[in-house]
Amino acid sequence: MRDATLSRFVSGIYDAVIDPALWQPAIETIRVEFRFHIAVLAVNKVPSGDGVIFAFCNVPDEYARTLGNYGADIVEAWGGVQAIARLPLEEPLVTSEVRPIQHWKNNRFYLEWMKPQGIVGEVAMILASDRTTNANLGLSVHESRGPIEPEPLRI
């Protein structure tokens, strides 16, 4: 990755910390650079799950409005609360490597939200996870792109 690109990522994130309205452009820059179909940044209070920040990029409105309805299904798709708690912080995780797709096939989130949009994979990163906050970034791949390769995960 070029230094200018990394600098653009970092400055966008710092600006968004100061002004939360800038989260969407910050993650859009990352989404476009790595050719992901959609990007979602979510920061939630624990244990209530109340949203603090939600930033969506390239998510159709009807899906953006319903994402909050799938919290339990998303947790189940990743293998449950205990499995998620064991995942490393701040490392790109490919969904199919963490939990093979056959475990997703009957999941409501997959069937109603991902599959209709043509999403076939995701890279996720847990940014924070403690007794008060859970923050994560999800970058999804459309079926037209093909499978996620390790190379795009290297910064």
Side-chain angles (χ1 to χ4, degrees):
M1 175 183 307
R2 299 176 316 273
D3 288 344
T5 302
L6 184 58
S7 179
R8 195 171 71 244
F9 290 168
V10 172
S11 65
I13 291 167
Y14 275 104
D15 290 346
V17 168
I18 294 167
D19 180 358
L22 298 176
W23 277 116
Q24 191 277 340
I27 64 171
E28 176 69 355
T29 301
I30 296 167
R31 182 191 75 81
V32 169
E33 176 70 23
F34 292 104
R35 300 179 314 115
F36 285 100
H37 183 60
I38 66 172
V40 176
L41 173 71
V43 180
N44 299 307
K45 292 180 183 177
V46 173
S48 71
D50 293 339
V52 177
I53 296 172
F54 283 108
F56 304 96
C57 298
N58 205 36
V59 177
D61 288 341
E62 65 270 23
Y63 290 99
R65 284 192 302 271
T66 63
L67 184 58
N69 300 337
Y70 294 100
D73 302 291
I74 293 169
V75 169
E76 189 274 324
W78 281 87
V81 174
Q82 292 177 348
I84 292 171
R86 290 189 299 269
L87 295 173
L89 290 177
E90 301 175 2
E91 287 187 29
L93 305 164
V94 177
T95 54
S96 60
E97 292 177 3
V98 173
R99 186 140 164 101
I101 192 68
Q102 65 263 24
H103 295 287
W104 289 66
K105 293 290 186 183
N106 295 317
N107 181 279
R108 192 171 74 98
F109 177 64
Y110 173 77
L111 293 170
E112 297 175 10
W113 205 89
M114 292 177 69
K115 188 174 181 181
Q117 293 184 76
I119 297 170
V120 296
E122 181 181 48
V123 173
M125 186 178 303
I126 301 169
L127 304 171
S129 185
D130 59 35
R131 61 180 184 77
T132 63
T133 306
N134 179 280
N136 59 76
L137 175 64
L139 301 158
S140 299
V141 175
H142 190 265
E143 61 196 359
S144 62
R145 176 179 169 177
I148 298 170
E149 301 294 332
E151 183 60 34
L153 302 180
R154 295 191 187 109
I155 293 182

